[in-house]
Amino acid sequence: MSYGSDYPREDPRQGYPSSGQGPSIGRAIGMRFIPVLVMAAMAGLFLLQSCQRGPFGRNQVIAIGPEEEKALGLQAFQQVLSESNVISRGPTVEAVTRVARRLAEASNSEPFRQAIGLPPQQFEWDFRVVDSDQINAFCLPGGKVVVFTGILPVAQTEEGLATVVGHEIGHAIARHSAERMAQTKVVQMVQQGVAVSMSDMAPQQVQQVMGMLGVGSQVGILLPFSRNHESEADHIGILLMSAAGYDPHEASRFWIRMQEATSDQKRPPEFLSTHPNSERRAEDLEAWLPEAIPLYQASQKQPTGKPLPMAGGLGGAREEPLFPIRRPSRERSPFPK
Ligand SMILES: [Zn+2]
């Protein structure tokens, strides 16, 4: 892709145009920044136009409508299901469906909506269990929840499962994937402005600067946003599980187990990671308990510590798969946890 430039280029081999005052370096530098400023102004306009009230009263930039977002969620859901070994019935499916349904119902309850500061949303819920050793679960936009059997030994109980599914539903309710799309768009707009401003430079130099800019925006802008999303999903998740009648004290216990279960997977330092570190996470979850406990007390509490059917070992008989595996599973969620 080539970028045009509206300002005259100067060929250093031929010297600067004679103005009687020698080379105007300041002017040349100033002109170089014009495309950056134009794209930054356009990005600013886009931010203003797409800004709306997000969870907990914060401002949120969203570039696509809920229907478009749902359609993308459905597309990803169908793709995951077509590539996975989906289990259709049995005690595991019943337990996962029971937990996910309670969370889904609580997600539109008045006390919960008031607590997160968002209006009710029209989700078309669907809950599926995938037979896989992968320690994962996710909720796609529009309410498509997928739980991998590999996470059940970590969840151990229905409260543990409610913690992770609550977190995933939190991402969907907060429309984090649509927000991430908007953030990426803004970063790309600014990068485009920089690319135009360097259109007279050698391709190698341009590549170097764009590479640095890419890493810079990843570490400086997109990753902090991702970490904020993770923290916000934790916050929404603990309130949601409480509103659904699951003991919020279980949340920090679950994330400790999760940390232990995934500790052998090489983990980058927090500033390069999309996830908050476990100490920070435990502190935050503790700090949100005063908000969560009243929701839990007002809910129809269920007995805590109910073990999941497959907890403590997955070597037993598998339930009947709904779809045969068409090709090897890529073992990857389209959305990060
Ligand atoms: Zn997450």
Side-chain angles (χ1 to χ4, degrees):
M1 184 172 178
S2 70
Y3 299 97
S5 173
D6 290 338
Y7 59 90
R9 296 184 190 187
E10 289 158 346
D11 186 345
R13 286 167 303 181
Q14 293 175 12
Y16 289 93
S18 174
S19 64
Q21 295 171 359
S24 174
I25 294 168
R27 188 165 155 265
I29 292 174
M31 289 184 84
R32 188 177 287 290
F33 279 109
I34 289 174
V36 182
L37 291 175
V38 168
M39 288 312 273
M42 282 171 71
L45 195 67
F46 167 76
L47 288 171
L48 276 176
Q49 282 173 340
S50 319
C51 196
Q52 62 175 52
R53 179 62 64 91
F56 306 108
R58 74 174 172 92
N59 288 327
Q60 179 176 49
V61 175
I62 298 235
I64 58 169
E67 291 310 314
E68 198 182 340
E69 193 189 1
K70 267 188 221 172
L72 288 171
L74 182 63
Q75 201 182 356
F77 184 61
Q78 285 166 342
Q79 191 184 335
V80 170
L81 295 189
S82 73
E83 294 173 351
S84 308
N85 199 5
V86 181
I87 302 171
S88 63
R89 60 185 76 89
T92 307
V93 175
E94 284 162 22
V96 169
T97 306
R98 186 165 54 240
V99 171
R101 186 165 288 151
R102 269 173 59 182
L103 292 166
E105 280 167 16
S107 74
N108 269 345
S109 70
E110 191 52 31
F112 170 72
R113 286 287 159 185
Q114 274 185 5
I116 63 164
L118 285 177
Q121 292 169 14
Q122 295 300 315
F123 278 4
E124 283 143 33
W125 293 99
D126 203 335
F127 318 114
R128 300 298 174 103
V129 180
V130 165
D131 184 8
S132 162
D133 291 339
Q134 194 186 352
I135 301 174
N136 200 8
F138 54 86
C139 176
L140 293 164
K144 312 296 183 203
V145 176
V146 179
V147 173
F148 292 71
T149 51
I151 207 165
L152 300 179
V154 184
Q156 289 185 2
T157 62
E158 293 198 7
E159 286 70 35
L161 187 60
T163 305
V164 66
V165 176
H167 171 100
E168 299 305 330
I169 291 177
H171 279 304
I173 289 174
R175 303 188 63 198
H176 285 163
S177 54
E179 195 176 15
R180 205 155 54 232
M181 285 166 81
Q183 288 156 4
T184 307
K185 188 173 169 175
V186 169
V187 169
Q188 281 170 349
M189 283 167 94
V190 174
Q191 282 177 337
Q192 219 168 22
V194 174
V196 173
S197 80
M198 296 189 304
S199 55
D200 58 339
M201 283 166 63
Q204 235 179 351
Q205 271 180 306
V206 175
Q207 219 171 31
Q208 244 176 356
V209 175
M210 292 309 285
M212 278 159 58
L213 196 68
V215 172
S217 54
Q218 188 68 19
V219 173
I221 302 170
L222 297 176
L223 279 179
F225 264 120
S226 294
R227 280 198 295 275
N228 290 344
H229 282 172
E230 288 311 315
S231 180
E232 194 169 81
D234 276 351
H235 194 176
I236 296 174
I238 195 172
L239 299 181
L240 182 58
M241 71 185 287
S242 305
Y246 294 107
D247 185 354
H249 293 93
E250 180 57 25
S252 58
R253 293 180 206 130
F254 167 80
W255 289 116
I256 289 168
R257 289 199 298 276
M258 188 71 167
Q259 167 73 15
E260 285 166 0
T262 54
S263 60
D264 55 334
Q265 298 167 7
K266 286 235 160 61
R267 200 176 143 75
E270 195 199 357
F271 80 98
L272 278 176
S273 156
T274 58
H275 285 67
N277 71 36
S278 48
E279 294 80 20
R280 167 82 197 277
R281 192 166 221 170
E283 275 173 26
D284 286 344
L285 289 167
E286 192 82 9
W288 295 321
L289 280 175
E291 292 171 56
I293 289 168
L295 288 172
Y296 177 54
Q297 283 170 342
S299 71
Q300 292 203 320
K301 292 188 212 63
Q302 306 280 322
T304 56
K306 202 170 177 182
L308 289 165
M310 291 178 84
L314 288 170
R318 298 290 188 190
E319 294 158 20
E320 196 179 323
L322 183 62
F323 303 112
I325 301 177
R326 288 186 202 161
R327 32 192 161 141
S329 165
R330 274 188 285 165
E331 298 289 330
R332 193 168 59 83
S333 148
F335 291 84
K337 281 198 306 297

